Amino acid sequence: ILVGFNEPLDSGITLSALSVSGGINVAGFNLIQPDLTSMQIWFDALVDSGVTYTLTVTDFSDCEGNANVSDQGDFILPFTGVAGELVINEILYNPRTGGDDYIELKNISDRVIDLQGWYLADFDDDTVGTLRPIATSHLPMEPGGIFAITEDSMNVKMEYIMHGIGRFIETDIPSMSNDSGTVFLISPTLEVAEQFSYNDDMHFALLDADGVSLERIDTDRPVDDVTNWHSAAATIGFGTPGLENSQYYPTNVDAGIVTTDPDIFSPDYDGYNDVVNINYQFEEFGNLATITIYDPRGRVVKRLVENHLLNAEGTISWDGETEDGLKAR
């Protein structure tokens, strides 16, 4: 591992000053010249993936003789992720004038994933376009972790006051059309882990989509389910880069029946119960569903899906939009 210090170290440091937890030992080190602010350390055994180790340095001082009795730092060798562990969670493809796009990813696995080796790509000339690396060096992402990827993180932070601290990656991202397009997430084995095709119709009809991100309602639901995406809430500034989505609402399926959750919802863009989830769970595959919303007088409000092929279980969401593109009462 490579360890960094905020001051040049005294070259008199010895091997006995270095120890590590987890059943391995420090076998040697090399204080890197000429600045003496970093040290390469190697061990007498292999480091296990997913294990958090603690390195302790004792009785060391900087070049000016300022002593530090003891200091510690943790390190981990993350797993190489596979398709299904890292997902597209939020996307801003149509920023306000002068703003920047961003793509947000979430680790939905129970292990630490290394983002090195993952790529983003767009759809170009009927094929997957240029692969753009997300991280050029090891970058661990904890279970449930979220990163927003953009070309100008400062710009995004200024535009969206509700953002994650330290949850940005600044790098080249695929160019995204302001009305529709497809973004690909490519795994280290160079397979398409996810592809998300977006368009303006996925935003709430009464909302100006400029500067409004699309948020995934539930990461356990398919990325290509158009009802699984919703405009970010107005109350948080229409985007949550690096934070949990304002519209996050996990599915709650009861066996053998069709249920709605919540019983009362309010599509007013405040991030609280802005959509209703229609959950289903059957014993077999291959059912077709037609879902129609009626008002109390039996008049059609919204034809949500017609002859929609279902899995054995899943969810379809309604955001309160009527057939006429208005907001239902």
Side-chain angles (χ1 to χ4, degrees):
I1 63 171
L2 188 67
V3 183
F5 298 85
N6 66 338
E7 296 286 351
L9 290 186
D10 187 333
S11 58
I13 188 170
T14 63
L15 185 63
S16 62
L18 306 173
S19 62
V20 64
S21 67
I24 60 175
N25 301 299
V26 177
F29 73 94
N30 178 35
L31 194 57
I32 298 177
Q33 305 284 345
D35 60 0
L36 304 178
T37 58
S38 57
M39 176 190 297
Q40 187 180 39
I41 299 175
W42 54 94
F43 306 106
D44 65 353
L46 294 177
V47 173
D48 287 335
S49 297
V51 176
T52 300
Y53 297 90
T54 299
L55 174 72
T56 301
V57 187
T58 57
D59 298 326
F60 68 102
S61 60
D62 63 20
C63 288
E64 296 182 357
N66 299 309
N68 193 332
V69 176
S70 179
D71 208 346
Q72 292 182 327
D74 293 335
F75 64 94
I76 188 170
L77 178 64
F79 291 95
T80 299
V82 297
E85 294 184 324
L86 192 64
V87 299
I88 300 170
N89 192 51
E90 182 179 348
I91 183 171
L92 177 71
Y93 61 87
N94 184 14
R96 289 182 278 266
T97 302
D100 274 75
D101 300 338
Y102 67 80
I103 300 169
E104 184 185 84
L105 303 179
K106 183 174 183 179
N107 177 5
I108 63 171
S109 75
D110 59 358
R111 23 182 241 168
V112 179
I113 293 176
D114 190 353
L115 290 181
Q116 185 181 33
W118 289 82
Y119 302 88
L120 292 171
D122 55 8
F123 199 61
D124 186 32
D125 293 332
D126 297 327
T127 187
V128 176
T130 303
L131 300 185
R132 291 170 171 82
I134 295 172
T136 56
S137 60
H138 294 295
L139 181 59
M141 189 177 190
E142 70 277 11
I146 295 172
F147 275 110
I149 305 167
T150 180
E151 295 182 358
D152 190 339
S153 59
M154 184 59 67
N155 179 286
V156 174
K157 292 174 187 177
M158 294 293 291
E159 289 283 331
Y160 300 94
I161 191 65
M162 297 294 291
H163 60 260
I165 304 299
R167 311 306 298 177
F168 282 81
I169 299 173
E170 194 169 284
T171 187
D172 289 337
I173 64 173
S175 59
M176 292 185 286
S177 168
N178 285 347
D179 49 14
S180 64
T182 301
V183 174
F184 292 85
L185 176 63
I186 309 297
S187 75
T189 58
L190 300 184
E191 62 179 314
V192 176
E194 274 200 336
Q195 65 182 79
F196 175 48
S197 298
Y198 63 86
N199 62 74
D200 281 346
D201 291 339
M202 300 174 74
H203 280 289
F204 193 78
L206 301 181
L207 199 61
D208 181 358
D210 289 0
V212 182
S213 75
L214 274 176
E215 294 184 328
R216 194 165 176 172
I217 296 173
D218 186 358
T219 51
D220 288 333
R221 291 169 56 187
V223 68
D224 57 358
D225 177 0
V226 295
T227 74
N228 193 27
W229 294 85
H230 196 277
S231 304
T235 53
I236 50 79
F238 296 112
T240 54
L243 290 178
E244 188 66 83
N245 290 345
S246 63
Q247 303 293 0
Y248 175 66
Y249 200 90
T251 299
N252 181 19
V253 177
D254 290 328
I257 55 176
V258 176
T259 61
T260 57
D261 182 33
D263 292 333
I264 299 174
F265 79 109
S266 53
D268 55 5
Y269 327 123
D270 66 350
Y272 177 72
N273 291 349
D274 281 346
V275 300
V276 60
N277 286 340
I278 303 168
N279 309 307
Y280 60 87
Q281 186 174 66
F282 304 115
E283 294 181 355
E284 69 284 336
F285 292 87
N287 291 294
L288 293 177
T290 295
I291 302 178
T292 307
I293 313 295
Y294 296 89
D295 70 8
R297 297 186 179 182
R299 296 172 296 192
V300 173
V301 174
K302 177 72 173 181
R303 294 179 175 88
L304 193 57
V305 296
E306 294 187 22
N307 293 326
H308 184 78
L309 183 62
L310 303 179
N311 292 320
E313 66 176 58
T315 299
I316 296 171
S317 299
W318 180 45
D319 61 3
E321 180 185 339
T322 70
E323 283 290 286
D324 299 325
L326 304 175
K327 184 171 66 173
R329 294 191 300 172

